[in-house]
Amino acid sequence: DCHQYTNRSCEECLKNVTCLWCASSGRCVEYPVRRVLPPAELCELRSARWGVCWVNFEALIIAMSVVGGTILIMLGVCCCCCCCKKKSKKQVSEGFPVFSEPDKDEERAAREREKRRVRQEERRAEMKSRHDEIRRKYG
């Protein structure tokens, strides 16, 4: 079916999506669907056209690689950003200092002071009870 467009034009050949145009030889051949890339004996990558006449397979592979690499890098950056946000939220909940708005820092500092004061009061009460017990024991 594709061979009838040999020695005609690229546009005529590529009207059928199963056809591959080889610009160097002017042949129109069946696209080898079992292989991703056409074999070199069929047509060189820089001469092979499929889908549109103005893009060869070599440029298509390079463009797809760049686009795919860019998408992978963007996904990696997004994952890192999400992990960092989760980590900073976890650190705030555990009391580690994280740069944030002044109001939040002041509130956190006030909560920390209150916690320390309560713990100190508990320790004082415990020490007082121990001392009282020792005083009772030894008179």
Side-chain angles (χ1 to χ4, degrees):
D1 189 30
C2 292
H3 294 291
Q4 66 186 1
Y5 298 109
T6 297
N7 292 327
R8 289 193 186 174
S9 72
C10 176
E11 287 81 15
E12 286 181 50
C13 174
L14 296 183
K15 283 180 183 175
N16 186 347
V17 293
T18 62
C19 296
L20 173 78
W21 176 257
C22 189
S24 60
S25 65
R27 291 186 309 152
C28 187
V29 293
E30 284 283 325
Y31 184 82
V33 291
R34 290 195 174 127
R35 300 179 76 174
V36 176
L37 300 175
E41 55 269 4
L42 185 65
C43 189
E44 290 181 341
L45 288 180
R46 68 177 65 109
S47 297
R49 308 285 194 269
W50 181 69
V52 290
C53 293
W54 52 272
V55 177
N56 64 32
F57 258 94
E58 201 170 50
L60 187 65
I61 291 169
I62 292 169
M64 294 303 270
S65 299
V66 168
V67 169
T70 303
I71 289 171
L72 287 175
I73 289 171
M74 288 171 57
L75 284 172
V77 168
C78 288
C79 288
C80 287
C81 288
C82 289
C83 290
C84 289
K85 283 183 181 180
K86 286 182 181 179
K87 194 176 199 179
S88 67
K89 286 180 182 178
K90 184 178 178 185
Q91 286 178 346
V92 167
S93 67
E94 291 176 355
F96 290 106
V98 175
F99 298 107
S100 61
E101 298 175 10
D103 293 339
K104 289 183 180 180
D105 285 342
E106 290 172 14
E107 289 174 20
R108 186 169 32 89
R111 283 194 305 267
E112 289 293 320
R113 280 194 301 271
E114 185 62 26
K115 284 181 187 177
R116 274 189 247 123
R117 188 187 64 75
V118 168
R119 276 184 277 164
Q120 190 174 16
E121 290 293 325
E122 288 172 355
R123 276 193 235 119
R124 278 189 188 149
E126 189 179 316
M127 288 294 286
K128 188 175 185 307
S129 69
R130 272 196 240 147
H131 288 168
D132 288 346
E133 192 176 310
I134 291 172
R135 282 190 192 107
R136 256 185 280 122
K137 183 177 180 181
Y138 295 106

